[in-house]
């Protein structure tokens, strides 16, 4: 049987987006962020498509994700090394806990140094495994979440440099306000970060990878793709989505389509109220479709009485409160609609499009929230 709700992933569009981002940021290299199972969409297909397109750097949030990504890339690793190309690297971008370090070192995962004790544990694990572990200094230049405080950066770097079996190849930080191109805080962060990097290089550090910019930074602060920066990180832009507040410098396209089917069609009389809370009352006889998707599948409650879906090539208004499994829609303008017909919740329909960004605007959030909220009964279907 077909699943009632599917999210279709267009890998060709994904690869086109990656290549546009890479061209836009050149000569900086692109690190593709595939944390949280590629935002819940399935890391395997994403990783293989991006590695085939030339991506050699991937970022995750924690060790389990690193292992899943390593498994997905296993065949790609063999084929790229066999052709003399760089094997894809996997980097943890947040933190690593003491008991996680030995396995990550053995697996060759690039680890963040957030303090001296962490660096010592990584060094000890590398010595024991008889390998050299690659690490990046994670600086807190204003995010206030994880990392080495700016005032302590040089002292920590000096201490870590003395430790054996560490390749201190990189340094990075993160923006809290890069979605706003007019906010001066990000400019101050960039200046502070560059000053720390310059001071470290005077003391003999030679960083191959210097990065601070994620998707918002790429769009709003193009200087973060130029020297001394050598790497940019991208996640949400790969999906063709943006933060709603900033610029949209990248010409990327939507990758995702969320689809379901019509469950029932009814002609309801004037005065009928729809759904929990009776938030919609029909002021005339109306043809109403009940579709087989609700907030358990990722449709935000914020679409109640103001969102749209596509049925039969027409934009159809959501009427009544969205429930867990079903949503009611006005299909008065759709001819010959019947149970089982396709419903496009977001995606392309002819020349018209509804995107996760549109839903995010109605919910007062961003596209990350929409994509990560797609329910676990939503089937992930890869196209292209």
């Amino acid at each position: 049987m077909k699943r009632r709700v599917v999210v279709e992933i267009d890998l060709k569009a994904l690869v086109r987006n990656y290549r546009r981002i890479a061209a836009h940021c050149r000569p900086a290299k692109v690190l593709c962020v595939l944390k949280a199972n590629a935002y819940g969409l399935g890391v395997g297909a994403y990783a293989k498509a991006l590695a085939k397109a030339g991506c050699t750097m991937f970022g995750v949030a924690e060790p389990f994700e690193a292992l899943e990504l390593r498994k997905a890339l296993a065949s790609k690793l063999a084929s790229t090394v066999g052709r003399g190309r760089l094997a894809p690297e996997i980097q943890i971008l947040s933190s690593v806990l003491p008991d996680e370090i030995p396995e990550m070192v053995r697996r060759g995962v690039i680890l963040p140094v957030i303090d001296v004790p962490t660096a010592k544990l990584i060094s000890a694990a590398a010595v024991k495994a008889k390998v050299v572990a690659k690490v990046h200094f994670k600086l807190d230049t204003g995010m206030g979440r994880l990392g080495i405080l700016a005032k302590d950066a040089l002292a920590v770097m000096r201490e870590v440099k003395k430790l054996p079996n560490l390749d201190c190849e990189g340094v990075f930080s993160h923006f809290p306000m890069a979605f706003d191109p007019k906010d001066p805080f990000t400019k101050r962060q960039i200046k502070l970060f560059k000053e720390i990097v310059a001071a470290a290089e005077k003391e003999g550090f030679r960083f191959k990878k210097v990065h601070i910019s994620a998707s918002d930074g790429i769009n709003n602060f193009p200087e973060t793709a130029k020297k001394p920066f050598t790497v940019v990180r991208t996640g949400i832009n790969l999906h063709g989505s943006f933060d709603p507040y900033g610029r949209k410098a990248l010409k990327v396209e939507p990758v995702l389509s969320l689809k379901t089917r019509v469950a029932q069609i009814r002609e309801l009389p004037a005065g009928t109220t729809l759904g929990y809370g009776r938030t919609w009352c029909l002021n005339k006889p109306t043809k109403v479709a009940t579709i087989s998707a609700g907030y358990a599948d990722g449709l935000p409650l914020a679409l109640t009485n103001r969102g749209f879906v596509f049925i039969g090539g027409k934009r159809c208004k959501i009427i009544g409160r969205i429930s867990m499994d079903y949503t009611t829609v006005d299909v008065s303008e759709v001819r010959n609609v019947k149970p089982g017909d396709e419903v496009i919740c977001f995606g392309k329909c002819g020349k018209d499009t509804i995107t996760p960004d549109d839903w995010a605007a109605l919910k007062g959030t961003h596209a990350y929230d929409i994509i990560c909220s797609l329910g676990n009964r939503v089937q992930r279907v890869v196209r292209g």
Side-chain angles (χ1 to χ4, degrees):
M1 292 188 295
K2 287 183 178 180
R3 295 292 292 268
R4 286 193 175 194
V5 191
V6 301
V7 58
E8 294 181 353
I9 303 159
D10 185 344
L11 290 183
K12 289 184 179 179
L14 175 76
V15 167
R16 287 194 294 269
N17 287 344
Y18 166 74
R19 287 176 173 156
R20 286 168 185 151
I21 296 166
H24 180 87
C25 296
R26 200 171 283 126
K29 303 296 184 182
V30 176
L31 182 153
C32 290
V33 180
L34 299 182
K35 60 186 178 179
N37 193 27
Y39 301 170
L41 296 166
V43 72
Y46 270 68
K48 291 172 186 175
L50 291 167
K52 187 176 180 181
C55 180
T56 59
M57 294 181 287
F58 295 92
V60 295
E62 52 92 41
F64 181 79
E65 295 173 358
L67 294 178
E68 288 296 299
L69 182 53
R70 177 68 75 201
K71 189 187 304 181
L73 286 169
S75 59
K76 202 67 203 168
L77 283 166
S79 62
T80 51
V81 172
R83 293 196 298 271
R85 293 172 58 190
L86 290 174
E89 296 180 319
I90 298 170
Q91 179 174 353
I92 292 177
L93 295 168
S94 51
S95 67
V96 62
L97 300 177
D99 60 297
E100 299 166 343
I101 287 171
E103 180 70 7
M104 292 297 97
V105 168
R106 285 195 296 270
R107 299 279 187 160
V109 175
I110 300 171
L111 297 178
V113 168
I114 59 173
D115 51 36
V116 173
T118 298
K120 288 181 176 179
L121 291 173
I122 297 172
S123 172
V127 169
K128 185 175 181 180
K130 299 181 180 180
V131 298
V132 174
K134 290 184 179 181
V135 296
H136 288 210
F137 293 104
K138 183 178 179 70
L139 306 186
D140 184 353
T141 56
M143 185 69 189
R145 189 173 62 187
L146 286 167
I148 306 162
L149 294 177
K151 67 180 181 63
D152 302 325
L154 287 176
V156 171
M157 288 178 180
R158 293 186 197 111
E159 193 71 18
V160 172
K161 191 177 182 181
K162 300 173 187 176
L163 298 173
N165 291 54
L166 293 184
D167 177 2
C168 302
E169 68 159 18
V171 58
F172 71 111
S173 191
H174 193 50
F175 292 135
M177 289 296 296
F179 57 83
D180 184 354
K182 296 180 181 178
D183 190 279
F185 189 83
T186 302
K187 289 284 188 180
R188 294 198 295 270
Q189 267 191 282
I190 294 170
K191 182 175 182 292
L192 175 61
F193 183 80
K194 290 168 75 172
E195 288 171 352
I196 294 170
V197 171
E201 289 181 341
K202 283 184 180 179
E203 296 195 16
F205 286 89
R206 294 291 177 264
F207 298 120
K208 297 176 185 176
K209 298 173 184 175
V210 180
H211 48 114
I212 196 170
S213 201
S215 291
D216 290 339
I218 293 170
N219 282 282
N220 299 325
F221 297 91
E223 63 267 37
T224 57
K226 300 174 183 176
K227 287 185 177 180
F229 302 102
T230 60
V231 174
V232 297
R233 307 185 298 267
T234 187
I236 199 67
N237 286 165
L238 289 170
H239 299 87
S241 290
F242 298 88
D243 188 278
Y245 302 106
R247 300 190 185 101
K248 296 177 174 58
L250 297 169
K251 305 304 178 186
V252 292
E253 60 187 292
V255 168
L256 306 175
S257 298
L258 182 66
K259 298 179 179 180
T260 185
R261 292 187 288 163
V262 173
Q264 187 178 24
I265 304 293
R266 296 188 298 166
E267 296 281 349
L268 299 180
T272 300
T273 57
L274 302 177
Y276 293 111
R278 303 177 67 212
T279 62
W280 189 270
C281 181
L282 301 177
N283 59 13
K284 61 180 180 179
T286 305
K287 184 163 64 171
V288 175
T290 299
I291 66 173
S292 298
Y295 59 76
D297 306 294
L299 277 65
L301 279 169
L303 270 60
T304 295
N305 298 330
R306 56 185 185 151
F308 291 85
V309 298
F310 294 118
I311 301 176
K314 303 279 188 180
R315 264 189 184 244
C316 300
K317 185 177 177 63
I318 293 171
I319 51 177
R321 179 176 158 184
I322 293 172
S323 56
M324 182 181 289
D325 312 302
Y326 294 100
T327 301
T328 45
V329 178
D330 184 343
V331 288
S332 299
E333 302 301 316
V334 184
R335 298 181 60 186
N336 302 323
V337 61
K338 61 187 183 301
D341 282 358
E342 181 180 80
V343 180
I344 301 173
C345 300
F346 61 66
K348 293 180 181 178
C349 181
K351 294 182 179 179
D352 201 358
T353 307
I354 298 172
T355 67
D357 303 66
D358 297 328
W359 284 14
L362 290 174
K363 190 178 178 181
T365 183
H366 44 61
Y368 297 92
D369 181 19
I370 301 300
I371 295 170
C372 289
S373 296
L374 297 177
N376 58 13
R377 70 182 176 194
V378 178
Q379 184 181 8
R380 279 64 173 165
V381 177
V382 175
R383 306 292 187 200

